[in-house]
Amino acid sequence: MASSSKTITVVSSDGDEFEMTMKAAEQSKLITHMLDEFGVSDKVPLYNVNSETMAKVMEYCKKHADHEAAKEEDGGAAIGAGGEEELKKWDDEFLKVENGLLFNIILAANYLEIKSLLDSSCQAVADMIKGKTPEQIREIFNIKNDFTPEEEAKLRSENEWAFQED
Amino acid sequence: MEQKEMDSSAPFLPQEIVRDILIRLPVKSLLRFQCVYEDWKILFRSPSFIADHLHHSSHRNPFLLLKCFIACDFYHYCLLDGEMEVHKLHKIPLENSRLTVRNLYSNHGLLCLEIVNKCHSLFLYNPATREVKQVSRRLERFTGTVFDVGFGFNPILNDHNIVRLFVSGYDEMVNKVEVNSLNMGSWKEVEVGNLRVVKLKHGESFSANGAIFWFGYTVKHKVYNGKKCEIAGRVWIVSFDVAKEASTLIPMPAEIRYKDGVSSAVYEYKLAILYPTAIENSETSSIDLWVMEEGTGASGEKWTWTKKYTTSPFPRRYPWKLCPQTIGGIK
């Protein structure tokens, strides 16, 4: 396992380099495996992630690594009872970005195997779309309507109550 | 260098990720989004998606179905959510008609309504999608009365099952058992087995972990003043395994007497009992939670019961009835 020396370098698809601590890197299962396989000395190429997304992912990993470290210190006293809630609030704010970036964060979290980020970001998308109309959904996910107008009308009338406001 | 942008809109998300997002949506949204794309409509109806969605929402949004006794055998139903807020159950479609709902069971997102009017009939209701479906009745006339109904879920086949118990004559002991599978849509008779050994308590079946449970007691007869009387002996739980179609008798702890107010529950995935006890020399009662463990205990019995908690006392005169039936997330 990697020693206590401190940082590694990852490279985005745009060729930019980002430094992250070992603890932050451990947030990603993929990076952890790559480091186990290839060691810490080399730069880790992450060509599936562009720089804009990488910057966000770095921020997330650092925040969560710091949170974990604080928990371990003083047996959790540093975090306090509201600690987990505060982290959740931070996550919610962190994910308030426009769709393009949010989707890229999801793809990066999936690729880098950062489960908590994948969960939070998928939940953020679900929360964002749940009140939308089918047309808006098609726009967001870039989907072409393959129902005929009659078929669509039938589905709508069968579930009329679902189209009404609560 | 891979760029995932398409035109100026958001990047394309692969199917597994879209599925991960859709599973988190409330049912109302899913019903609306059926017309987005045909693949989505098919996905939402697939058993694996439904199972994953239910699993996800029942963890995030667990609901308890509460049955409140109003008066004259009429029950009022409402839901209690994870934030301890009470919601009215969306009008069960048959409420306005002159049908009498004798009982209502919940399992895995579906409700089963037992209607007794001219004849005994069963309806399945999905409160999330608001669909109602009548369960087919057997065409032949059956002899005997439907004594009780159990509603269970078979996780192996991902199927809901309804169990109908029949009794004949005056002794009210079960003499016929039929099982209906939602997937198959038909009834079949199964062996009565241990369901006939004890006298079952009617109207309070409970299901969990792929089994349906009834309370029962062994019947003893004594003669008092020349009249034969029935005495309740030891209390048992009869567990009917839905997949195996076989029932087992589980003895209850000796302290537990047969009486009203006993109800079953699930505690950390184990069968449990909520047992009210009157506190001596006071007008109060408390409720004990007994949890069952499988595995040979010290006395050599196959199941051991442990009293886990006792509630604080409350006034005994309040009319109440415990009905902890979980319904899973539906909002």
Side-chain angles (χ1 to χ4, degrees), chain A residues 2-3 5 7-9 22 34-36 38-44:
Chain A
S3 68
S5 110
T7 65
I8 58 153
T9 308
M22 283 307 299
M34 285 171 97
L35 292 176
D36 282 347
F38 302 113
V40 283
S41 47
D42 294 328
K43 298 177 188 166
V44 181

Side-chain angles (χ1 to χ4, degrees), chain A residues 119 130 138 142 146 164 166, chain B residues 9 24 28-29 32 35:
Chain A
D119 274 340
K130 70 182 175 200
R138 285 189 205 113
N142 234 304
D146 60 351
Q164 288 156 9
D166 261 334
Chain B
S9 49
R24 297 159 193 271
K28 190 173 177 183
S29 306
R32 213 164 53 232
C35 61

Side-chain angles (χ1 to χ4, degrees), chain B residues 136-243:
Chain B
S136 68
R137 303 184 68 237
R138 261 260 196 81
L139 292 174
E140 337 157 359
R141 288 186 61 223
F142 38 72
T143 50
T145 332
V146 178
F147 170 69
D148 207 40
V149 166
F151 186 45
F153 182 73
N154 181 347
I156 298 170
L157 295 178
N158 198 29
D159 190 14
H160 284 85
N161 290 91
I162 304 176
V163 175
R164 234 173 11 192
L165 303 179
F166 294 84
V167 298
S168 78
Y170 60 92
D171 65 0
E172 291 201 333
M173 301 293 279
V174 174
N175 69 342
K176 184 158 97 146
V177 181
E178 285 180 346
V179 178
N180 174 289
S181 132
L182 180 61
N183 292 353
M184 302 286 285
S186 57
W187 290 94
K188 84 170 188 206
E189 192 170 339
V190 302
E191 280 241 7
V192 185
N194 283 316
L195 283 164
R196 84 165 92 234
V197 174
V198 295
K199 185 157 181 177
L200 299 183
K201 195 162 185 230
H202 139 86
E204 293 185 8
S205 67
F206 177 83
S207 67
N209 302 339
I212 303 175
F213 304 98
W214 279 271
F215 284 101
Y217 56 91
T218 42
V219 171
K220 294 196 273 213
H221 289 109
K222 281 211 149 104
V223 178
Y224 284 122
N225 299 333
K227 283 214 299 217
K228 191 167 158 199
C229 301
E230 199 184 84
I231 312 246
R234 184 163 191 191
V235 189
W236 302 78
I237 290 186
V238 185
S239 155
F240 180 80
D241 184 316
V242 176

Side-chain angles (χ1 to χ4, degrees), chain B residues 27-45:
Chain B
V27 177
K28 190 173 177 183
S29 306
L30 291 178
L31 290 174
R32 213 164 53 232
F33 298 164
Q34 275 184 107
C35 61
V36 167
Y37 192 46
E38 179 140 31
D39 275 359
W40 280 25
K41 175 179 151 215
I42 296 171
L43 175 70
F44 296 164
R45 292 167 192 214

